[in-house]
Amino acid sequence: MSKRNRSKTSSSGPSPDESKEPAFEDFDDVFAAISLDAARSFPQILASIKEILANHNPLELLCVTAYYSTVSPEGSDPEQIPFVSQSNIELVQALVLTGLGSNNVNPKPFDVRDFALLASLLLSLKATFSHRALSNFREGNASPSRAQLTISESVRGHTAAVRNSGTPEQIQETVIHLCRLFDEKFPEIHLGSSMALLWQLKNLVKQRILEHGRRVRLVLRSNSVNQLLESFCKIFGQTLNFDDCHRELNGLKLRDAKLRVRAICDLSLTKVFMIGPDDLSSERVENFDPAVFLNSWSYSINTLKLDYQQFIVRNPVWQRPLVRLAPETFLLPCIGIVDSFYLEYMESIVGPKRSQAFSDLKAAYLEDAVASVFRARLRCAELWQGFRWSNDAADGWENDLCVLLDRTLIIVESKSGKFTQLAKEGRTERLERDAGRLMGASTSQSSRLVNELESGRLVKGVDRDGRQAVLELGLLDHIIVLNVTLEHLGGLGASNTSLKDAHLAQFGSAPTMCLHELQSVGVILQEDFEFVDYLRVRDRLHKRVQYFGDELDLLALYLDPDYTLSLRGRSVESEDFVYAYGQSNALNKYFVGYAPRPVAKRTGFWGLLLNRARQMKGNWVDSTGILLSTPIKWQREFEVRASKLLAAWPKAGAHFTLRDSAVAICFLLHASMTKAERSSKIRQLSQSTQTSCGANEVLVFSIDLSTNASKDLRSVIKNAATISYWRSEMAP
């Protein structure tokens, strides 16, 4: 995915003249201009793309496009070879399957500038389509509004981009478990064998891509044209003609020679993506023919008709990812497509007769997988899976998962249903129906339990293992509600405010993320206090802010040391919107194995405070949350001031405070105080701090120096610090 703008926030409220949503007709002139421009540029851009495909070998160009969506073009000018996204590969593949260039008997020699132009044209074509979609939106939806348009375009854009919901390892784990469960009941369908074959071919092509990239990098390390030629012929000599290469490079400067060598190397990429009879599994399964299976998942060239609007939001290659060259010879240009549409592939193999059985297995698997994430990340929590409870008005209700950690209750509902194709295309009426089915129904189940607790009644229940539990509002400080799906919803589940403005959330909606996003959050945030704090931040954003982005964008924003404080307390309420789309680029290198696990930036001293706060017997979720929301400059300032105060004790003052409009952190030195005197002093300090700066929450580190004579700050924090948490409603 290309790099987007940094997150942007707005805290200015609407003026009196802007408070009312303007009528959609006010934008007629804008939409007319957009539609006119798109109508002019769309055929011109498409004609240029056709010309490039017609002048080259289309399969070679397809494989080059696929290769550069997977690897970084090291050793070349990035302006010469731009990064292309997965959706660009799919567009080129669909166009090639229409037969463009297939009859070209004398294709033009490949040049990286042609590829750069193709990538640029593809981006322009997609943008033009989006502009056309804006004008067409008014015709396909009754009583449209800007909010509805924003949501619909967000969903349609997500569908066109085909952003995967998680890492290939996470998706493969889901596939393995679902196949195992299904094959136990219906072994004759060969679901496991079919999906295993797809993954085998995907991994084979991936290994070839990495190996090709390694060989190219070795060649491009050369420091002279002669060395370049020798290295090139040594590494690629078996596949390319030496004399032809020598003539190609003769007289070129080193930079131009490297670009030309890369282009010549790319001519062999067709073999990288080719699947032949020898590549199919040698382990034969009774009544399962791999070649027959792959033929049913492929298109031959000249089998598709050119319908570019369909290619954008309903590309046929999503359902059949292979290009058939011969009965047992195929190309798999887009390996990411196997991860993107694994559920659709499985449902296609299962067939309509057993779809309900597969749906039941998905539901059971999702509930267990979600519980496993919480069990792994919140090891000290109490978990009740399948929590059944009743009240005077009904015989019984059930919540998929309840998690009690410290004084925080997390209620999780799992929905394994899916969005229909029309909803994915941004149709408002289908979006409303599907959002209500996946997100609204889950929220209603959770809200029932929340309302019961807020009424002041005890909730007694039992989980599916027979373990009993009693929940009481007086023992809880926070209740977090979360929906988890198998369907990747992009940014649709991120902001309830946006959904309400578009009239898509009359039912109310809790934060919603897909299973693989939840797993990714758990992989990045491995400490229990980080994981639960993220869920709390997620809950605040969802309720109060118009947030644009998906789950991993928000996760990247959460790790940003310059932004954490504005996600907490009052400051988040003052923001109208948070634009974070594209922030997840910062996580991509980790997920593809090129970088270590990203962590929030904090000082070693602050890590010591966090560990100390985590040892509190109560309110540690709130205490660690304040520390997690503290920017790095505060952390450094706190350590400097605390060290100076400790060194000057007892001549200097006894305490200091760092504060903003939402939270305050106090450092208090004392000696020879009784427990009651210390508690009274801390309460006075907390209340005076709240009064002076209006902080909702105050965290006090009090150090009893009568039992510790050390002047080393870290030593006294570790051995003599008492931590107290206070918030405004605790006042008598």
Side-chain angles (χ1 to χ4, degrees):
M1 183 179 65
S2 59
K3 195 75 174 176
R4 308 289 180 101
N5 293 332
R6 293 281 298 167
S7 60
K8 302 177 182 178
T9 60
S10 170
S11 58
S12 59
S15 65
D17 295 335
E18 295 173 338
S19 58
K20 183 179 179 182
E21 176 77 11
F24 199 83
E25 287 73 15
D26 294 345
F27 304 99
D28 275 352
D29 292 342
V30 176
F31 280 96
I34 289 174
S35 181
L36 180 62
D37 179 70
R40 291 172 177 171
S41 57
F42 184 85
Q44 296 172 357
I45 297 171
L46 187 58
S48 298
I49 293 176
K50 289 180 180 180
E51 182 179 359
I52 292 176
L53 290 173
N55 290 335
H56 295 81
N57 183 316
L59 291 178
E60 287 181 356
L61 203 52
L62 170 60
C63 292
V64 170
T65 307
Y67 177 74
Y68 287 121
S69 74
T70 310
V71 300
S72 174
E74 297 182 25
S76 299
D77 185 347
E79 295 181 359
Q80 290 284 340
I81 304 182
F83 176 80
V84 291
S85 67
Q86 177 178 321
S87 58
N88 285 337
I89 313 172
E90 296 158 355
L91 289 174
V92 174
Q93 183 170 336
L95 291 170
V96 168
L97 288 170
T98 64
L100 288 176
S102 59
N103 298 322
N104 190 352
V105 295
N106 188 24
K108 179 182 175 183
F110 174 76
D111 189 286
V112 291
R113 288 170 293 187
D114 295 317
F115 169 72
L117 177 60
L118 176 62
S120 175
L121 289 170
L122 289 169
L123 291 174
S124 299
L125 192 65
K126 289 171 64 178
T128 303
F129 176 84
S130 182
H131 294 162
R132 294 177 68 192
L134 291 174
S135 59
N136 293 337
F137 178 86
R138 298 179 67 240
E139 302 175 4
N141 295 276
S143 303
S145 70
R146 282 195 297 174
Q148 286 181 352
L149 184 144
T150 301
I151 288 290
S152 294
E153 271 301 285
S154 172
V155 173
R156 187 208 60 75
H158 169 73
T159 301
V162 199
R163 293 186 61 188
N164 292 335
S165 62
T167 67
E169 292 77 15
Q170 292 167 348
I171 295 173
Q172 188 168 6
E173 180 182 355
T174 296
V175 171
I176 290 172
H177 280 82
L178 288 175
C179 287
R180 178 178 56 79
L181 294 171
F182 188 82
D183 285 348
E184 288 175 356
K185 290 190 173 184
F186 307 101
E188 71 279 5
I189 303 300
H190 302 296
L191 180 61
S193 300
S194 302
M195 296 305 296
L197 177 60
L198 278 180
W199 245 268
Q200 171 197 342
L201 300 181
K202 184 198 82 166
N203 291 332
L204 173 65
V205 172
K206 181 179 180 180
Q207 291 171 3
R208 290 176 179 171
I209 290 172
L210 295 176
E211 175 60 19
H212 181 85
R214 185 191 67 81
R215 296 168 71 195
V216 170
R217 286 191 295 273
L218 288 174
V219 171
L220 296 181
R221 288 175 184 171
S222 303
N223 296 319
S224 67
V225 174
N226 288 335
Q227 184 183 2
L228 178 69
L229 181 59
E230 291 175 4
S231 178
F232 173 61
C233 294
K234 178 180 178 181
I235 295 174
F236 285 90
Q238 294 180 348
T239 57
L240 299 168
N241 187 280
F242 178 87
D243 293 334
D244 291 343
C245 296
H246 189 274
R247 283 192 297 271
E248 287 270 4
L249 302 182
N250 188 32
L252 293 179
K253 295 181 179 179
L254 180 60
R255 180 180 178 276
D256 295 332
K258 286 186 176 183
L259 289 174
R260 188 59 200 144
V261 163
R262 175 178 283 280
I264 297 172
C265 292
D266 290 342
L267 294 176
S268 64
L269 282 173
T270 305
K271 296 181 180 179
V272 170
F273 294 93
M274 188 173 295
I275 305 296
D278 295 337
D279 299 319
L280 303 181
S281 176
S282 58
E283 297 181 8
R284 296 295 176 177
V285 178
E286 187 178 356
N287 298 324
F288 177 72
D289 187 338
V292 173
F293 170 75
L294 294 180
N295 271 282
S296 67
W297 287 71
S298 63
Y299 286 112
S300 298
I301 294 176
N302 291 317
T303 57
L304 294 185
K305 294 182 179 180
L306 185 60
D307 183 350
Y308 197 78
Q309 181 162 333
Q310 183 186 41
F311 288 177
I312 288 283
V313 292
R314 198 181 289 195
N315 197 326
V317 305
W318 293 347
Q319 280 69 50
R320 295 189 180 189
L322 298 168
V323 177
R324 183 165 62 245
L325 304 179
E328 292 190 352
T329 305
F330 308 88
L331 287 180
L332 179 57
C334 184
I335 57 176
I337 205 170
V338 178
D339 298 327
S340 299
F341 297 97
Y342 74 97
L343 276 177
E344 286 82 352
Y345 297 157
M346 297 177 78
E347 289 167 353
S348 175
I349 297 168
V350 166
K353 291 184 179 180
R354 297 173 179 82
S355 60
Q356 185 57 52
F358 186 62
S359 296
D360 294 340
L361 291 176
K362 285 194 301 180
Y365 165 75
L366 180 61
E367 292 180 13
D368 290 341
V370 170
S372 295
V373 175
F374 279 90
R375 219 173 260 117
R377 290 282 70 85
L378 307 179
R379 290 180 290 274
C380 297
E382 292 186 80
L383 282 80
W384 298 283
Q385 191 175 351
F387 182 69
R388 299 187 301 275
W389 57 278
S390 60
N391 58 17
D392 298 335
D395 293 335
W397 308 101
E398 182 173 337
N399 296 96
D400 293 334
L401 181 67
C402 290
V403 182
L404 181 61
L405 184 72
D406 191 25
R407 296 175 61 86
T408 298
L409 177 66
I410 306 170
I411 306 170
V412 186
E413 296 297 333
S414 303
K415 290 294 181 183
S416 59
K418 58 182 299 183
F419 263 31
T420 60
Q421 179 61 37
L422 289 177
K424 292 179 180 180
E425 293 174 12
R427 303 292 181 88
T428 304
E429 66 282 358
R430 289 301 184 96
L431 275 175
E432 182 174 1
R433 188 191 72 176
D434 291 359
R437 182 168 48 85
L438 276 185
M439 300 156 63
S442 297
T443 304
S444 297
Q445 290 175 257
S446 302
S447 299
R448 195 177 293 118
L449 177 55
V450 174
N451 294 336
E452 187 73 9
L453 287 168
E454 291 180 343
S455 70
R457 291 189 287 268
L458 289 176
V459 174
K460 299 180 180 180
V462 60
D463 69 6
R464 68 183 190 183
D465 294 325
R467 296 169 57 247
Q468 296 183 348
V470 178
L471 301 177
E472 182 181 356
L473 185 64
L475 300 178
L476 301 173
D477 288 335
H478 309 285
I479 300 177
I480 301 172
V481 177
L482 177 68
N483 300 331
V484 182
T485 66
L486 272 179
E487 182 79 48
H488 186 207
L489 305 181
L492 188 62
S495 174
N496 193 42
T497 304
S498 302
L499 291 171
K500 284 183 176 179
D501 288 347
H503 308 294
L504 294 176
Q506 300 92 333
F507 44 77
S509 170
T512 303
M513 63 178 79
C514 83
L515 170 64
H516 303 128
E517 290 169 332
L518 178 65
Q519 291 171 332
S520 294
V521 172
V523 167
I524 298 292
L525 306 177
Q526 296 186 355
E527 297 290 347
D528 55 1
F529 52 79
E530 289 181 308
F531 186 79
V532 72
D533 184 67
Y534 176 81
L535 295 181
R536 290 183 60 191
V537 169
R538 179 77 167 78
D539 189 60
R540 290 190 189 96
L541 270 180
H542 186 78
K543 292 176 180 177
R544 304 175 187 176
V545 175
Q546 282 193 320
Y547 167 73
F548 298 95
D550 66 9
E551 198 64 43
L552 296 185
D553 292 325
L554 178 56
L555 178 59
L557 198 64
Y558 177 82
L559 294 172
D560 187 336
D562 298 325
Y563 201 76
T564 50
L565 195 60
S566 66
L567 296 182
R568 187 173 181 85
R570 290 186 186 178
S571 53
V572 77
E573 296 176 347
S574 68
E575 295 174 353
D576 292 328
F577 69 91
V578 174
Y579 182 82
Y581 193 73
Q583 289 290 301
S584 58
N585 288 334
L587 307 179
N588 288 347
K589 287 186 177 180
Y590 167 71
F591 284 124
V592 298
Y594 294 154
R597 178 174 66 91
V599 296
K601 188 177 182 181
R602 62 178 69 103
T603 66
F605 171 70
W606 214 250
L608 180 64
L609 294 186
L610 274 167
N611 290 330
R612 189 68 174 157
R614 176 62 182 86
Q615 297 169 13
M616 293 176 64
K617 293 183 179 180
N619 293 116
W620 65 262
V621 167
D622 290 296
S623 301
T624 54
I626 290 178
L627 296 174
L628 288 168
S629 68
T630 304
I632 195 74
K633 63 179 182 179
W634 267 37
Q635 299 174 27
R636 292 172 179 149
E637 181 182 351
F638 187 94
E639 184 173 5
V640 170
R641 292 181 62 180
S643 297
K644 289 181 179 179
L645 186 65
L646 181 62
W649 170 267
K651 297 180 181 179
H655 68 84
F656 72 87
T657 301
L658 289 177
R659 68 192 74 176
D660 83 334
S661 61
V663 298
I665 305 175
C666 303
F667 187 74
L668 171 66
L669 299 178
H670 62 88
S672 303
M673 280 187 182
T674 65
K675 184 176 181 180
E677 289 173 336
R678 187 188 68 203
S679 298
S680 176
K681 178 66 175 177
I682 291 173
R683 178 172 288 275
Q684 291 174 12
L685 178 60
S686 300
Q687 291 178 340
S688 64
T689 300
Q690 193 276 332
T691 302
S692 62
C693 71
N696 294 330
E697 301 171 282
V698 180
L699 190 64
V700 180
F701 286 87
S702 58
I703 311 296
D704 185 357
L705 292 180
S706 62
T707 61
N708 193 311
S710 173
K711 293 294 185 175
D712 178 68
L713 179 61
R714 298 195 179 200
S715 176
V716 298
I717 288 290
K718 186 175 181 180
N719 299 313
T722 301
I723 304 172
S724 302
Y725 169 80
W726 183 92
R727 62 175 176 270
S728 55
E729 57 262 35
M730 290 180 174

